[in-house]
Amino acid sequence: MVSVQTLKGFRDIPPELAFKRGRAVALLKSVFKSFGFEPLETPTLEYADLLEGKYGGEEKLIYKFKDRGGRSVALRYDLTVPLARFVAQNKGNLTFPFKRYQVGDAFRAENPQAGRYREFTQVDYDTVGADTALSDAEIIAITASALEILNVKDFTILINDRALFGDLPKKAVQILDKWEKIGVEGVKKELAAAGLDAAEILRQSRDKKPTPRLEKIFNLLKSYGIEEKSWKFDPLLARGLDYYTGMIFEVKVTGYNGSVAGGGRYDKLISKVAGVDLPAVGSSFGLDRLMEIIPAETFADIPFRPKVLVTVFSPDLLDDTISIFDQIQGMGIDAELYLEPQAKLDKQLKYADRKSIPFALIYGPEEKAKGLVTLKSLAKKSQQTIGLTDLPKLLN
Amino acid sequence: MVSVQTLKGFRDIPPELAFKRGRAVALLKSVFKSFGFEPLETPTLEYADLLEGKYGGEEKLIYKFKDRGGRSVALRYDLTVPLARFVAQNKGNLTFPFKRYQVGDAFRAENPQAGRYREFTQVDYDTVGADTALSDAEIIAITASALEILNVKDFTILINDRALFGDLPKKAVQILDKWEKIGVEGVKKELAAAGLDAAEILRQSRDKKPTPRLEKIFNLLKSYGIEEKSWKFDPLLARGLDYYTGMIFEVKVTGYNGSVAGGGRYDKLISKVAGVDLPAVGSSFGLDRLMEIIPAETFADIPFRPKVLVTVFSPDLLDDTISIFDQIQGMGIDAELYLEPQAKLDKQLKYADRKSIPFALIYGPEEKAKGLVTLKSLAKKSQQTIGLTDLPKLLN
């Protein structure tokens, strides 16, 4: 019995969503490019030992297996550790600061939940080899520009500095990071259970003031023209991953639970991976989450489906009809040619209707005699006979 | 000891190549869209039994393993079998003919050779649910349009029909497919070794005439305006995969060994995968091979690197400099801001030079006093002081 189904936690991305994701990614790439960032692609599979020891307690979620050559390999768990590997391997040929973006899938054997998949798309952008407030601020500025180009409003970038937790035990930071999930009472309970002074830790953390580095970053954000209402200092922001060393941030969107982007400075990761000391700062959008909050207007300018179905009136007229189809494409109009020349016109129009193609073009013997075509609006249930050159203006 | 290297047969795609691949894929997608094709994305992992029994003797090359839940899973081997699975699973919700494209990586544990990887990118486009000469011709027409938009000249589409091999044993067809690899003498030898009458098989095959279906397809290609020199009937074209049932084709490019695209009709595959009888025709570009033959002009209109490096004359002027950077981006110009405000100007200019960024912008106290900026051409080693609004015309 063959499994005609996707694996648990994996899914197909159907055409309309795939199209919108493609548009969103193209817009994001245009922002990265406008800041001088370059694309990089790393493989889906890596040696398992590269990934091991990098993700703390989550390590058991790595998709790991032995390949036919007996190598211990793993599906990538994120795009950051492979970046560190790439930089270590190619440092002699790279110009630093090296700024790259990557859109790619990562794999985690998590318990699938609503909106949480075992294969998911990350959009990463990182600067390697610069350790300045400006490089920190740039990553945040790119994040804001990306949200703006996607028309995402009402976002807040929460910013903190890991240095502010310098005197807290690691365990306490990990518990503080659960704030949103388990609430203040949950955090208090877990801190106490870990033998820590919950009241004192919360009080201390709440009262922290921005570090001098954060003050610099905040000033730079103003120079980038980012509205002050779009970001704020959050002394309780912790972020889960162990590897952050400086500025950290997360993006919240009003009405959406959880964060849609997050990142920070991780100056020791590359050295941990590869023994090469290179400071780095970066961030990542979760594409699935992002798709849930991008407003429809972002996808309105380029429609998903063709504007017009070119019907085939009869097999005798097929050659002329193809030539008309060809001319329409030449006008830069996305069109579709009906593929069964024998089918009744009615069936063809129903096809256009089911696919929400707004117009149908008909070319029969009468149209041929006149050198014209008939354009039918399926929405308005109206039609008119026109010259082909009038098509562009009538389709809009 | 951590493995700071890619796995055998896997590779990183460095920035410039990644950028060009992205451009090529965007152009290909625009062609698919202009014919009414829709994007679809299927997962990287599938149940192993879906893939098993579909690829003949190559089956041992499937990356197969047990996941933590004990399921037998596999990295996808191509994009066609997953398409068949998707269609079978969603047939109630799809409108047929269903035309989709997919750009995705496939995985095969082959012995790596020059230009042959274990993870490689396929660009597939298929029509499911139509069995007409027109749907066959459309797939070929899309192939020709795709090559044209990429400026690939001197291509020949070799076309044949599997029906012409109807009276030959399967083994003979597989041997004929090796024509290019092993030459006519090799084919004769292998046919003889298989106990077949080599001379007779070759004579019979060479003398075949196009089937009536092929004749129809050829006429339609003319209607699509495809130049007659761009395609030809090749009675010896066999194609390796077992699942083809009708028209088959391959694209050769002058001076390039091997084919860059190929496809055909496979009317029984979906029924084999899923017990649903749906005719299908499709084709695939190998992106790696394609990248080797696309001429440089295809990538000339949008440069890989930013046009201008915005230098930071001194930390004091950083805020103003960021604001200038911001205005340049607002003009739609890809720019890069130098991230170390303390660095000497000379170091910053060297950075631009190493990255082949053609212009550097300088904003020091003198420029500030005049409300102007200095634009330095690194190629011409010349500079001029200008108003910011003059930038767009000077950068071209």
Side-chain angles (χ1 to χ4, degrees):
Chain A
M1 185 56 201
V2 168
S3 306
V4 184
Q5 53 182 313
T6 48
L7 280 159
K8 188 180 168 196
F10 290 77
R11 88 285 204 195
D12 296 311
I13 296 172
E16 186 159 8
L17 179 57
F19 179 75
K20 289 179 176 175
R21 284 165 56 106
R23 283 283 297 152
V25 167
L27 289 167
L28 288 166
K29 287 183 176 176
S30 75
V31 171
F32 303 145
K33 186 170 191 296
S34 76
F35 278 88
F37 280 57
E38 304 177 354
L40 170 72
E41 292 173 32
T42 61
T44 303
L45 274 185
E46 298 273 4
Y47 278 103
D49 66 354
L50 175 75
L51 276 49
E52 285 161 352
K54 305 302 179 310
Y55 304 110
E58 297 185 2
E59 191 136 325
K60 60 183 188 302
L61 305 181
I62 296 175
Y63 273 91
K64 199 175 118 178
F65 65 98
K66 287 234 187 281
D67 73 4
R68 279 165 207 269
R71 299 169 201 88
S72 188
V73 301
L75 294 173
R76 65 183 170 210
Y77 187 85
D78 69 7
L79 305 176
T80 311
V81 171
L83 166 67
R85 197 259 313 135
F86 174 83
V87 169
Q89 210 177 324
N90 295 279
K91 57 186 185 299
N93 300 314
L94 296 175
T95 300
F96 293 100
F98 175 62
K99 304 166 170 189
R100 83 88 180 79
Y101 63 85
Q102 180 165 9
V103 181
D105 284 2
F107 301 81
R108 296 181 190 179
E110 297 201 72
N111 253 346
Q113 299 166 18
R116 200 151 185 173
Y117 300 98
R118 290 180 166 181
E119 177 175 14
F120 57 97
T121 308
Q122 290 196 312
V123 182
D124 276 32
Y125 41 111
D126 296 80
T127 300
V128 176
D131 176 15
T132 57
L134 181 54
S135 58
D136 291 337
E138 183 176 74
I139 290 292
I140 299 175
I142 293 173
T143 306
S145 295
L147 292 165
E148 276 157 27
I149 205 170
L150 295 169
N151 300 304
V152 174
K153 317 263 195 272
D154 292 329
F155 61 86
T156 310
I157 304 173
L158 307 178
I159 308 173
N160 199 10
D161 194 325
R162 266 289 173 96
L164 287 176
F165 295 124
D167 45 356
L168 278 188
K170 199 162 152 182
K171 186 75 202 156
V173 177
Q174 285 167 350
I175 294 170
L176 281 177
D177 185 50
K178 297 189 187 173
W179 197 268
E180 208 173 335
K181 263 192 211 146
I182 60 176
V184 63
E185 289 310 318
V187 166
K188 278 184 192 165
K189 211 175 285 177
E190 288 206 14
L191 286 172
L196 297 158
D197 183 342
E200 177 58 17
I201 287 174
L202 286 181
R203 193 193 53 74
Q204 268 187 26
S205 300
R206 268 199 192 114
D207 290 349
K208 299 261 167 161
K209 297 279 161 284
T211 56
R213 174 76 161 235
L214 280 184
E215 292 288 7
K216 271 195 200 173
I217 295 171
F218 296 160
N219 279 325
L220 291 168
L221 294 182
K222 286 175 206 159
S223 304
Y224 272 110
I226 303 174
E227 290 182 77
E228 295 216 28
K229 71 171 181 60
S230 300
W231 55 271
K232 71 172 185 213
F233 172 58
D234 178 359
L236 286 172
L237 179 74
R239 288 194 61 69
L241 285 167
D242 288 350
Y243 56 55
Y244 291 114
T245 55
M247 178 277 292
I248 51 175
F249 71 98
E250 263 181 33
V251 179
K252 308 283 177 190
V253 173
T254 309
Y256 185 80
N257 219 351
S259 69
V260 297
R265 176 160 290 280
Y266 52 97
D267 284 346
K268 302 295 172 209
L269 181 66
I270 296 180
S271 129
K272 189 174 174 187
V273 166
V276 189
D277 218 354
L278 278 167
V281 60
S283 178
S284 180
F285 281 102
L287 186 61
D288 295 300
R289 290 173 171 208
L290 202 50
M291 292 310 295
E292 290 183 38
I293 53 160
I294 301 173
E297 64 191 275
T298 306
F299 308 111
D301 57 336
I302 301 181
F304 161 54
R305 289 268 164 76
K307 271 278 165 120
V308 58
L309 179 76
V310 177
T311 63
V312 183
F313 189 87
S314 84
D316 297 347
L317 292 167
L318 182 54
D319 288 349
D320 291 338
T321 309
I322 291 175
S323 154
I324 288 168
F325 173 74
D326 220 34
Q327 290 172 62
I328 294 175
Q329 284 194 320
M331 296 170 187
I333 296 167
D334 292 338
E336 181 170 345
L337 179 63
Y338 195 81
L339 291 177
E340 291 172 31
Q342 315 280 356
K344 294 216 167 91
L345 189 59
D346 199 45
K347 187 182 169 192
Q348 301 186 38
L349 295 176
K350 275 193 185 131
Y351 173 82
D353 217 36
R354 267 207 309 282
K355 288 190 72 177
S356 304
I357 299 173
F359 294 93
L361 188 140
I362 300 162
Y363 183 77
E366 285 178 39
E367 284 84 0
K368 181 172 177 149
K370 293 184 205 154
L372 298 171
V373 298
T374 295
L375 183 69
K376 200 174 166 75
S377 162
L378 292 157
K380 295 187 195 151
K381 308 214 181 293
S382 65
Q383 64 178 53
Q384 52 186 319
T385 299
I386 59 163
L388 205 52
T389 49
D390 293 326
L391 205 59
K393 67 170 190 281
L394 289 167
L395 289 189
N396 288 310
Chain B
M1 184 58 200
V2 167
S3 306
V4 184
Q5 54 182 312
T6 49
L7 280 158
K8 189 181 167 196
F10 289 76
R11 89 286 203 193
D12 296 311
I13 297 172
E16 185 158 8
L17 179 57
F19 179 75
K20 289 179 176 174
R21 284 166 57 107
R23 283 284 297 152
V25 166
L27 290 166
L28 288 166
K29 287 183 177 176
S30 75
V31 171
F32 303 146
K33 186 170 192 292
S34 76
F35 278 88
F37 280 58
E38 304 176 355
L40 171 70
E41 292 172 32
T42 61
T44 304
L45 274 185
E46 297 272 4
Y47 277 104
D49 66 352
L50 175 75
L51 275 50
E52 285 162 351
K54 307 303 181 309
Y55 304 109
E58 295 185 4
E59 189 137 325
K60 61 183 184 304
L61 304 181
I62 296 175
Y63 272 92
K64 200 175 117 178
F65 65 98
K66 287 237 188 280
D67 72 6
R68 278 166 207 267
R71 300 168 200 88
S72 188
V73 302
L75 294 173
R76 65 184 171 210
Y77 187 86
D78 69 6
L79 304 177
T80 312
V81 170
L83 167 66
R85 196 260 312 137
F86 174 83
V87 169
Q89 209 177 325
N90 295 279
K91 58 186 185 297
N93 300 316
L94 296 174
T95 300
F96 293 99
F98 175 62
K99 304 166 170 189
R100 83 88 179 81
Y101 63 85
Q102 180 166 9
V103 180
D105 284 2
F107 301 81
R108 296 180 191 178
E110 296 202 74
N111 254 344
Q113 299 166 19
R116 201 153 185 171
Y117 301 97
R118 291 180 167 181
E119 177 174 14
F120 57 96
T121 307
Q122 290 197 312
V123 181
D124 275 33
Y125 40 110
D126 296 80
T127 300
V128 176
D131 177 15
T132 57
L134 181 54
S135 58
D136 291 338
E138 182 176 74
I139 290 291
I140 299 176
I142 293 173
T143 306
S145 295
L147 292 165
E148 276 158 27
I149 205 170
L150 295 170
N151 300 304
V152 175
K153 318 264 194 270
D154 293 330
F155 62 86
T156 311
I157 304 173
L158 308 178
I159 308 173
N160 199 10
D161 194 324
R162 266 290 174 94
L164 287 176
F165 294 123
D167 46 357
L168 278 188
K170 198 162 151 182
K171 186 74 201 155
V173 177
Q174 285 166 350
I175 295 170
L176 280 177
D177 184 50
K178 298 188 187 173
W179 196 268
E180 208 174 334
K181 264 191 214 151
I182 61 177
V184 62
E185 289 311 317
V187 166
K188 276 183 191 166
K189 212 175 284 176
E190 287 205 14
L191 286 170
L196 297 158
D197 183 342
E200 176 60 17
I201 286 175
L202 286 180
R203 194 195 53 74
Q204 267 187 25
S205 300
R206 268 199 192 113
D207 291 348
K208 298 263 166 155
K209 296 280 163 285
T211 56
R213 174 76 162 237
L214 280 184
E215 293 288 6
K216 272 194 202 174
I217 294 171
F218 296 160
N219 279 324
L220 292 169
L221 294 183
K222 286 174 206 159
S223 304
Y224 273 109
I226 304 174
E227 289 183 79
E228 296 217 25
K229 73 171 179 62
S230 301
W231 55 270
K232 72 173 185 211
F233 173 58
D234 178 0
L236 285 172
L237 179 73
R239 290 196 56 72
L241 284 166
D242 288 350
Y243 56 55
Y244 291 114
T245 55
M247 179 277 291
I248 50 176
F249 72 98
E250 262 179 35
V251 179
K252 308 282 178 193
V253 173
T254 308
Y256 185 81
N257 219 351
S259 69
V260 296
R265 175 159 290 282
Y266 52 96
D267 284 346
K268 302 294 172 209
L269 180 66
I270 295 179
S271 126
K272 191 175 172 185
V273 167
V276 188
D277 218 353
L278 279 167
V281 61
S283 179
S284 180
F285 281 102
L287 187 60
D288 295 300
R289 290 172 169 207
L290 202 49
M291 292 311 295
E292 291 184 37
I293 53 161
I294 301 173
E297 64 190 274
T298 306
F299 308 111
D301 58 335
I302 301 181
F304 160 53
R305 288 268 163 76
K307 272 278 166 117
V308 59
L309 178 77
V310 177
T311 64
V312 184
F313 189 87
S314 85
D316 297 347
L317 290 167
L318 182 55
D319 288 349
D320 290 339
T321 309
I322 291 176
S323 154
I324 287 169
F325 173 73
D326 219 34
Q327 289 173 63
I328 294 174
Q329 284 195 319
M331 296 170 186
I333 297 167
D334 292 337
E336 181 170 344
L337 179 63
Y338 195 81
L339 290 177
E340 291 173 33
Q342 315 280 357
K344 293 218 168 89
L345 189 59
D346 200 45
K347 187 183 171 193
Q348 301 187 37
L349 295 176
K350 275 192 186 133
Y351 173 82
D353 216 35
R354 268 206 309 282
K355 288 189 73 177
S356 305
I357 300 174
F359 293 93
L361 190 137
I362 300 163
Y363 183 77
E366 284 179 38
E367 285 85 359
K368 181 169 176 153
K370 292 184 203 153
L372 297 171
V373 298
T374 295
L375 183 70
K376 199 175 168 73
S377 162
L378 291 158
K380 294 186 196 152
K381 308 214 181 294
S382 64
Q383 65 179 51
Q384 52 186 319
T385 299
I386 58 163
L388 206 52
T389 49
D390 293 328
L391 205 59
K393 68 169 189 286
L394 290 168
L395 289 188
N396 287 309

